[in-house]
PDB file of all heavy atoms in Angstrom:
ATOM      1  N   LEU J  91       1.499   9.867  -5.407  1.00  0.00           N
ATOM      2  CA  LEU J  91       1.931  11.208  -5.005  1.00  0.00           C
ATOM      3  C   LEU J  91       2.999  11.781  -5.935  1.00  0.00           C
ATOM      4  O   LEU J  91       2.964  12.964  -6.282  1.00  0.00           O
ATOM      5  CB  LEU J  91       2.430  11.186  -3.560  1.00  0.00           C
ATOM      6  CG  LEU J  91       1.350  10.935  -2.510  1.00  0.00           C
ATOM      7  CD1 LEU J  91       1.981  10.811  -1.128  1.00  0.00           C
ATOM      8  CD2 LEU J  91       0.306  12.029  -2.526  1.00  0.00           C
ATOM      9  N   VAL J  92       3.929  10.950  -6.349  1.00  0.00           N
ATOM     10  CA  VAL J  92       4.966  11.420  -7.272  1.00  0.00           C
ATOM     11  C   VAL J  92       4.346  11.817  -8.605  1.00  0.00           C
ATOM     12  O   VAL J  92       4.680  12.854  -9.183  1.00  0.00           O
ATOM     13  CB  VAL J  92       6.056  10.338  -7.468  1.00  0.00           C
ATOM     14  CG1 VAL J  92       6.967  10.680  -8.636  1.00  0.00           C
ATOM     15  CG2 VAL J  92       6.861  10.183  -6.196  1.00  0.00           C
ATOM     16  N   THR J  93       3.419  11.017  -9.091  1.00  0.00           N
ATOM     17  CA  THR J  93       2.740  11.324 -10.358  1.00  0.00           C
ATOM     18  C   THR J  93       1.977  12.632 -10.251  1.00  0.00           C
ATOM     19  O   THR J  93       2.030  13.474 -11.151  1.00  0.00           O
ATOM     20  CB  THR J  93       1.794  10.183 -10.756  1.00  0.00           C
ATOM     21  OG1 THR J  93       2.558   8.982 -10.837  1.00  0.00           O
ATOM     22  CG2 THR J  93       1.138  10.461 -12.085  1.00  0.00           C
ATOM     23  N   LEU J  94       1.263  12.802  -9.162  1.00  0.00           N
ATOM     24  CA  LEU J  94       0.519  14.052  -8.968  1.00  0.00           C
ATOM     25  C   LEU J  94       1.464  15.254  -8.934  1.00  0.00           C
ATOM     26  O   LEU J  94       1.190  16.285  -9.541  1.00  0.00           O
ATOM     27  CB  LEU J  94      -0.295  13.984  -7.672  1.00  0.00           C
ATOM     28  CG  LEU J  94      -1.485  13.038  -7.676  1.00  0.00           C
ATOM     29  CD1 LEU J  94      -2.079  12.962  -6.273  1.00  0.00           C
ATOM     30  CD2 LEU J  94      -2.523  13.482  -8.665  1.00  0.00           C
ATOM     31  N   ALA J  95       2.558  15.110  -8.231  1.00  0.00           N
ATOM     32  CA  ALA J  95       3.496  16.223  -8.100  1.00  0.00           C
ATOM     33  C   ALA J  95       4.136  16.586  -9.433  1.00  0.00           C
ATOM     34  O   ALA J  95       4.284  17.767  -9.764  1.00  0.00           O
ATOM     35  CB  ALA J  95       4.578  15.878  -7.077  1.00  0.00           C
ATOM     36  N   LEU J  96       4.505  15.599 -10.209  1.00  0.00           N
ATOM     37  CA  LEU J  96       5.226  15.861 -11.455  1.00  0.00           C
ATOM     38  C   LEU J  96       4.334  16.270 -12.623  1.00  0.00           C
ATOM     39  O   LEU J  96       4.725  17.079 -13.450  1.00  0.00           O
ATOM     40  CB  LEU J  96       6.034  14.627 -11.859  1.00  0.00           C
ATOM     41  CG  LEU J  96       7.188  14.262 -10.944  1.00  0.00           C
ATOM     42  CD1 LEU J  96       7.833  12.969 -11.411  1.00  0.00           C
ATOM     43  CD2 LEU J  96       8.212  15.382 -10.882  1.00  0.00           C
ATOM     44  N   TYR J  97       3.148  15.705 -12.692  1.00  0.00           N
ATOM     45  CA  TYR J  97       2.362  15.888 -13.898  1.00  0.00           C
ATOM     46  C   TYR J  97       1.115  16.755 -13.735  1.00  0.00           C
ATOM     47  O   TYR J  97       0.388  16.949 -14.693  1.00  0.00           O
ATOM     48  CB  TYR J  97       2.008  14.524 -14.496  1.00  0.00           C
ATOM     49  CG  TYR J  97       3.265  13.877 -14.988  1.00  0.00           C
ATOM     50  CD1 TYR J  97       3.980  12.993 -14.199  1.00  0.00           C
ATOM     51  CD2 TYR J  97       3.806  14.228 -16.219  1.00  0.00           C
ATOM     52  CE1 TYR J  97       5.177  12.447 -14.633  1.00  0.00           C
ATOM     53  CE2 TYR J  97       4.993  13.683 -16.660  1.00  0.00           C
ATOM     54  CZ  TYR J  97       5.665  12.796 -15.867  1.00  0.00           C
ATOM     55  OH  TYR J  97       6.843  12.269 -16.298  1.00  0.00           O
ATOM     56  N   CYS J  98       0.906  17.295 -12.568  1.00  0.00           N
ATOM     57  CA  CYS J  98      -0.220  18.215 -12.394  1.00  0.00           C
ATOM     58  C   CYS J  98       0.267  19.608 -12.040  1.00  0.00           C
ATOM     59  O   CYS J  98      -0.482  20.428 -11.544  1.00  0.00           O
ATOM     60  CB  CYS J  98      -1.179  17.697 -11.329  1.00  0.00           C
ATOM     61  SG  CYS J  98      -2.151  16.324 -11.926  1.00  0.00           S
ATOM     62  N   TYR J  99       1.517  19.855 -12.274  1.00  0.00           N
ATOM     63  CA  TYR J  99       2.063  21.180 -12.064  1.00  0.00           C
ATOM     64  C   TYR J  99       1.454  22.112 -13.101  1.00  0.00           C
ATOM     65  O   TYR J  99       1.289  21.749 -14.256  1.00  0.00           O
ATOM     66  CB  TYR J  99       3.590  21.125 -12.193  1.00  0.00           C
ATOM     67  CG  TYR J  99       4.258  22.446 -11.946  1.00  0.00           C
ATOM     68  CD1 TYR J  99       4.263  22.997 -10.674  1.00  0.00           C
ATOM     69  CD2 TYR J  99       4.856  23.143 -12.973  1.00  0.00           C
ATOM     70  CE1 TYR J  99       4.864  24.212 -10.439  1.00  0.00           C
ATOM     71  CE2 TYR J  99       5.464  24.359 -12.745  1.00  0.00           C
ATOM     72  CZ  TYR J  99       5.463  24.891 -11.476  1.00  0.00           C
ATOM     73  OH  TYR J  99       6.062  26.096 -11.246  1.00  0.00           O
ATOM     74  N   GLU J 100       1.086  23.322 -12.715  1.00  0.00           N
ATOM     75  CA  GLU J 100       0.363  24.242 -13.592  1.00  0.00           C
ATOM     76  C   GLU J 100       1.064  24.518 -14.917  1.00  0.00           C
ATOM     77  O   GLU J 100       0.417  24.659 -15.940  1.00  0.00           O
ATOM     78  CB  GLU J 100       0.116  25.560 -12.860  1.00  0.00           C
ATOM     79  CG  GLU J 100      -0.886  25.429 -11.726  1.00  0.00           C
ATOM     80  CD  GLU J 100      -1.068  26.726 -10.991  1.00  0.00           C
ATOM     81  OE1 GLU J 100      -0.687  27.793 -11.521  1.00  0.00           O
ATOM     82  OE2 GLU J 100      -1.589  26.691  -9.877  1.00  0.00           O
ATOM     83  N   ALA J 101       2.370  24.591 -14.927  1.00  0.00           N
ATOM     84  CA  ALA J 101       3.089  24.915 -16.152  1.00  0.00           C
ATOM     85  C   ALA J 101       3.091  23.739 -17.137  1.00  0.00           C
ATOM     86  O   ALA J 101       3.398  23.919 -18.303  1.00  0.00           O
ATOM     87  CB  ALA J 101       4.525  25.309 -15.835  1.00  0.00           C
ATOM     88  N   ASN J 102       2.735  22.565 -16.671  1.00  0.00           N
ATOM     89  CA  ASN J 102       2.741  21.385 -17.524  1.00  0.00           C
ATOM     90  C   ASN J 102       1.366  20.722 -17.460  1.00  0.00           C
ATOM     91  O   ASN J 102       1.205  19.631 -16.944  1.00  0.00           O
ATOM     92  CB  ASN J 102       3.830  20.408 -17.067  1.00  0.00           C
ATOM     93  CG  ASN J 102       4.024  19.275 -18.039  1.00  0.00           C
ATOM     94  OD1 ASN J 102       3.532  19.326 -19.153  1.00  0.00           O
ATOM     95  ND2 ASN J 102       4.722  18.258 -17.622  1.00  0.00           N
ATOM     96  N   ALA J 103       0.364  21.385 -17.993  1.00  0.00           N
ATOM     97  CA  ALA J 103      -1.011  20.931 -17.838  1.00  0.00           C
ATOM     98  C   ALA J 103      -1.389  19.797 -18.777  1.00  0.00           C
ATOM     99  O   ALA J 103      -2.387  19.142 -18.561  1.00  0.00           O
ATOM    100  CB  ALA J 103      -1.961  22.106 -18.048  1.00  0.00           C
ATOM    101  N   ILE J 104      -0.615  19.525 -19.805  1.00  0.00           N
ATOM    102  CA  ILE J 104      -0.949  18.457 -20.747  1.00  0.00           C
ATOM    103  C   ILE J 104      -0.050  17.258 -20.458  1.00  0.00           C
ATOM    104  O   ILE J 104       1.166  17.367 -20.439  1.00  0.00           O
ATOM    105  CB  ILE J 104      -0.772  18.922 -22.210  1.00  0.00           C
ATOM    106  CG1 ILE J 104      -1.719  20.078 -22.488  1.00  0.00           C
ATOM    107  CG2 ILE J 104      -1.016  17.765 -23.164  1.00  0.00           C
ATOM    108  CD1 ILE J 104      -1.522  20.715 -23.833  1.00  0.00           C
ATOM    109  N   THR J 105      -0.667  16.110 -20.247  1.00  0.00           N
ATOM    110  CA  THR J 105       0.076  14.893 -19.948  1.00  0.00           C
ATOM    111  C   THR J 105       0.624  14.300 -21.240  1.00  0.00           C
ATOM    112  O   THR J 105      -0.092  14.141 -22.214  1.00  0.00           O
ATOM    113  CB  THR J 105      -0.837  13.864 -19.264  1.00  0.00           C
ATOM    114  OG1 THR J 105      -1.402  14.474 -18.101  1.00  0.00           O
ATOM    115  CG2 THR J 105      -0.073  12.638 -18.861  1.00  0.00           C
ATOM    116  N   CYS J 106       1.889  13.980 -21.216  1.00  0.00           N
ATOM    117  CA  CYS J 106       2.556  13.387 -22.369  1.00  0.00           C
ATOM    118  C   CYS J 106       1.999  11.977 -22.624  1.00  0.00           C
ATOM    119  O   CYS J 106       1.971  11.154 -21.705  1.00  0.00           O
ATOM    120  CB  CYS J 106       4.052  13.327 -22.093  1.00  0.00           C
ATOM    121  SG  CYS J 106       4.994  12.495 -23.362  1.00  0.00           S
ATOM    122  N   PRO J 107       1.561  11.693 -23.853  1.00  0.00           N
ATOM    123  CA  PRO J 107       1.029  10.354 -24.154  1.00  0.00           C
ATOM    124  C   PRO J 107       2.037   9.235 -23.892  1.00  0.00           C
ATOM    125  O   PRO J 107       1.656   8.143 -23.480  1.00  0.00           O
ATOM    126  CB  PRO J 107       0.678  10.429 -25.643  1.00  0.00           C
ATOM    127  CG  PRO J 107       0.520  11.879 -25.933  1.00  0.00           C
ATOM    128  CD  PRO J 107       1.446  12.593 -24.990  1.00  0.00           C
ATOM    129  N   ALA J 108       3.315   9.507 -24.107  1.00  0.00           N
ATOM    130  CA  ALA J 108       4.336   8.491 -23.844  1.00  0.00           C
ATOM    131  C   ALA J 108       4.401   8.162 -22.355  1.00  0.00           C
ATOM    132  O   ALA J 108       4.633   7.011 -21.967  1.00  0.00           O
ATOM    133  CB  ALA J 108       5.696   8.965 -24.343  1.00  0.00           C
ATOM    134  N   PHE J 109       4.169   9.175 -21.506  1.00  0.00           N
ATOM    135  CA  PHE J 109       4.160   8.922 -20.065  1.00  0.00           C
ATOM    136  C   PHE J 109       2.994   8.026 -19.681  1.00  0.00           C
ATOM    137  O   PHE J 109       3.137   7.107 -18.872  1.00  0.00           O
ATOM    138  CB  PHE J 109       4.101  10.229 -19.269  1.00  0.00           C
ATOM    139  CG  PHE J 109       3.897   9.997 -17.808  1.00  0.00           C
ATOM    140  CD1 PHE J 109       4.918   9.497 -17.026  1.00  0.00           C
ATOM    141  CD2 PHE J 109       2.674  10.238 -17.215  1.00  0.00           C
ATOM    142  CE1 PHE J 109       4.730   9.236 -15.673  1.00  0.00           C
ATOM    143  CE2 PHE J 109       2.469   9.996 -15.875  1.00  0.00           C
ATOM    144  CZ  PHE J 109       3.502   9.493 -15.095  1.00  0.00           C
ATOM    145  N   VAL J 110       1.827   8.278 -20.248  1.00  0.00           N
ATOM    146  CA  VAL J 110       0.652   7.455 -19.951  1.00  0.00           C
ATOM    147  C   VAL J 110       0.916   6.016 -20.382  1.00  0.00           C
ATOM    148  O   VAL J 110       0.623   5.070 -19.636  1.00  0.00           O
ATOM    149  CB  VAL J 110      -0.612   8.021 -20.628  1.00  0.00           C
ATOM    150  CG1 VAL J 110      -1.796   7.096 -20.427  1.00  0.00           C
ATOM    151  CG2 VAL J 110      -0.922   9.420 -20.102  1.00  0.00           C
ATOM    152  N   LEU J 111       1.494   5.832 -21.553  1.00  0.00           N
ATOM    153  CA  LEU J 111       1.832   4.497 -22.036  1.00  0.00           C
ATOM    154  C   LEU J 111       2.827   3.821 -21.090  1.00  0.00           C
ATOM    155  O   LEU J 111       2.660   2.661 -20.715  1.00  0.00           O
ATOM    156  CB  LEU J 111       2.417   4.572 -23.451  1.00  0.00           C
ATOM    157  CG  LEU J 111       2.968   3.270 -24.024  1.00  0.00           C
ATOM    158  CD1 LEU J 111       1.844   2.244 -24.196  1.00  0.00           C
ATOM    159  CD2 LEU J 111       3.672   3.523 -25.337  1.00  0.00           C
ATOM    160  N   GLU J 112       3.843   4.563 -20.679  1.00  0.00           N
ATOM    161  CA  GLU J 112       4.861   4.011 -19.790  1.00  0.00           C
ATOM    162  C   GLU J 112       4.259   3.638 -18.442  1.00  0.00           C
ATOM    163  O   GLU J 112       4.559   2.589 -17.873  1.00  0.00           O
ATOM    164  CB  GLU J 112       6.002   5.020 -19.620  1.00  0.00           C
ATOM    165  CG  GLU J 112       7.272   4.433 -19.038  1.00  0.00           C
ATOM    166  CD  GLU J 112       7.322   4.478 -17.532  1.00  0.00           C
ATOM    167  OE1 GLU J 112       6.620   5.308 -16.932  1.00  0.00           O
ATOM    168  OE2 GLU J 112       8.057   3.671 -16.942  1.00  0.00           O
ATOM    169  N   LEU J 113       3.366   4.473 -17.931  1.00  0.00           N
ATOM    170  CA  LEU J 113       2.739   4.214 -16.639  1.00  0.00           C
ATOM    171  C   LEU J 113       1.867   2.964 -16.683  1.00  0.00           C
ATOM    172  O   LEU J 113       1.959   2.093 -15.820  1.00  0.00           O
ATOM    173  CB  LEU J 113       1.908   5.417 -16.206  1.00  0.00           C
ATOM    174  CG  LEU J 113       1.165   5.266 -14.890  1.00  0.00           C
ATOM    175  CD1 LEU J 113       2.148   5.105 -13.742  1.00  0.00           C
ATOM    176  CD2 LEU J 113       0.275   6.467 -14.652  1.00  0.00           C
ATOM    177  N   LYS J 114       1.026   2.861 -17.712  1.00  0.00           N
ATOM    178  CA  LYS J 114       0.169   1.676 -17.837  1.00  0.00           C
ATOM    179  C   LYS J 114       1.021   0.422 -18.046  1.00  0.00           C
ATOM    180  O   LYS J 114       0.733  -0.626 -17.480  1.00  0.00           O
ATOM    181  CB  LYS J 114      -0.825   1.845 -18.976  1.00  0.00           C
ATOM    182  CG  LYS J 114      -1.905   2.862 -18.660  1.00  0.00           C
ATOM    183  CD  LYS J 114      -3.082   2.800 -19.605  1.00  0.00           C
ATOM    184  CE  LYS J 114      -2.760   3.215 -20.992  1.00  0.00           C
ATOM    185  NZ  LYS J 114      -3.937   3.362 -21.865  1.00  0.00           N
ATOM    186  N   SER J 115       2.078   0.559 -18.825  1.00  0.00           N
ATOM    187  CA  SER J 115       2.963  -0.582 -19.063  1.00  0.00           C
ATOM    188  C   SER J 115       3.671  -0.999 -17.782  1.00  0.00           C
ATOM    189  O   SER J 115       3.848  -2.183 -17.509  1.00  0.00           O
ATOM    190  CB  SER J 115       3.996  -0.230 -20.132  1.00  0.00           C
ATOM    191  OG  SER J 115       3.345   0.108 -21.330  1.00  0.00           O
ATOM    192  N   PHE J 116       4.079  -0.007 -16.983  1.00  0.00           N
ATOM    193  CA  PHE J 116       4.743  -0.280 -15.707  1.00  0.00           C
ATOM    194  C   PHE J 116       3.845  -1.126 -14.808  1.00  0.00           C
ATOM    195  O   PHE J 116       4.303  -2.062 -14.159  1.00  0.00           O
ATOM    196  CB  PHE J 116       5.099   1.035 -15.015  1.00  0.00           C
ATOM    197  CG  PHE J 116       5.761   0.863 -13.678  1.00  0.00           C
ATOM    198  CD1 PHE J 116       7.105   0.545 -13.591  1.00  0.00           C
ATOM    199  CD2 PHE J 116       5.049   1.017 -12.506  1.00  0.00           C
ATOM    200  CE1 PHE J 116       7.724   0.385 -12.357  1.00  0.00           C
ATOM    201  CE2 PHE J 116       5.657   0.863 -11.272  1.00  0.00           C
ATOM    202  CZ  PHE J 116       6.999   0.543 -11.195  1.00  0.00           C
ATOM    203  N   LEU J 117       2.570  -0.826 -14.811  1.00  0.00           N
ATOM    204  CA  LEU J 117       1.651  -1.545 -13.937  1.00  0.00           C
ATOM    205  C   LEU J 117       1.246  -2.913 -14.476  1.00  0.00           C
ATOM    206  O   LEU J 117       1.040  -3.845 -13.708  1.00  0.00           O
ATOM    207  CB  LEU J 117       0.394  -0.706 -13.690  1.00  0.00           C
ATOM    208  CG  LEU J 117       0.569   0.522 -12.814  1.00  0.00           C
ATOM    209  CD1 LEU J 117      -0.690   1.359 -12.806  1.00  0.00           C
ATOM    210  CD2 LEU J 117       0.972   0.137 -11.399  1.00  0.00           C
ATOM    211  N   PHE J 118       1.131  -3.048 -15.806  1.00  0.00           N
ATOM    212  CA  PHE J 118       0.476  -4.241 -16.341  1.00  0.00           C
ATOM    213  C   PHE J 118       1.338  -5.161 -17.206  1.00  0.00           C
ATOM    214  O   PHE J 118       0.973  -6.317 -17.396  1.00  0.00           O
ATOM    215  CB  PHE J 118      -0.773  -3.831 -17.126  1.00  0.00           C
ATOM    216  CG  PHE J 118      -1.786  -3.132 -16.255  1.00  0.00           C
ATOM    217  CD1 PHE J 118      -2.027  -1.784 -16.407  1.00  0.00           C
ATOM    218  CD2 PHE J 118      -2.471  -3.824 -15.284  1.00  0.00           C
ATOM    219  CE1 PHE J 118      -2.951  -1.132 -15.606  1.00  0.00           C
ATOM    220  CE2 PHE J 118      -3.400  -3.186 -14.468  1.00  0.00           C
ATOM    221  CZ  PHE J 118      -3.642  -1.837 -14.630  1.00  0.00           C
ATOM    222  N   LEU J 119       2.433  -4.694 -17.776  1.00  0.00           N
ATOM    223  CA  LEU J 119       3.245  -5.563 -18.631  1.00  0.00           C
ATOM    224  C   LEU J 119       4.143  -6.494 -17.818  1.00  0.00           C
ATOM    225  O   LEU J 119       4.490  -6.204 -16.675  1.00  0.00           O
ATOM    226  CB  LEU J 119       4.139  -4.731 -19.551  1.00  0.00           C
ATOM    227  CG  LEU J 119       3.530  -4.123 -20.797  1.00  0.00           C
ATOM    228  CD1 LEU J 119       4.602  -3.397 -21.600  1.00  0.00           C
ATOM    229  CD2 LEU J 119       2.844  -5.143 -21.664  1.00  0.00           C
ATOM    230  N   GLU J 120       4.530  -7.579 -18.449  1.00  0.00           N
ATOM    231  CA  GLU J 120       5.532  -8.462 -17.866  1.00  0.00           C
ATOM    232  C   GLU J 120       6.879  -7.731 -17.839  1.00  0.00           C
ATOM    233  O   GLU J 120       7.118  -6.851 -18.674  1.00  0.00           O
ATOM    234  CB  GLU J 120       5.656  -9.737 -18.712  1.00  0.00           C
ATOM    235  CG  GLU J 120       4.405 -10.593 -18.703  1.00  0.00           C
ATOM    236  CD  GLU J 120       4.103 -11.154 -17.323  1.00  0.00           C
ATOM    237  OE1 GLU J 120       5.040 -11.559 -16.621  1.00  0.00           O
ATOM    238  OE2 GLU J 120       2.917 -11.162 -16.955  1.00  0.00           O
ATOM    239  N   PRO J 121       7.768  -8.073 -16.902  1.00  0.00           N
ATOM    240  CA  PRO J 121       9.047  -7.357 -16.781  1.00  0.00           C
ATOM    241  C   PRO J 121       9.872  -7.287 -18.071  1.00  0.00           C
ATOM    242  O   PRO J 121      10.396  -6.232 -18.409  1.00  0.00           O
ATOM    243  CB  PRO J 121       9.778  -8.143 -15.693  1.00  0.00           C
ATOM    244  CG  PRO J 121       8.688  -8.711 -14.858  1.00  0.00           C
ATOM    245  CD  PRO J 121       7.577  -9.042 -15.830  1.00  0.00           C
TER     246      PRO J 121
END
Side-chain angles (χ1 to χ4, degrees):
L91 292 175
V92 168
T93 303
L94 290 173
L96 293 176
Y97 293 94
C98 286
Y99 182 69
E100 291 178 17
N102 189 13
I104 298 173
T105 304
C106 175
F109 172 73
V110 175
L111 173 64
E112 196 271 337
L113 178 64
K114 289 195 293 189
S115 300
F116 179 79
L117 289 172
F118 298 110
L119 280 183
E120 294 295 320

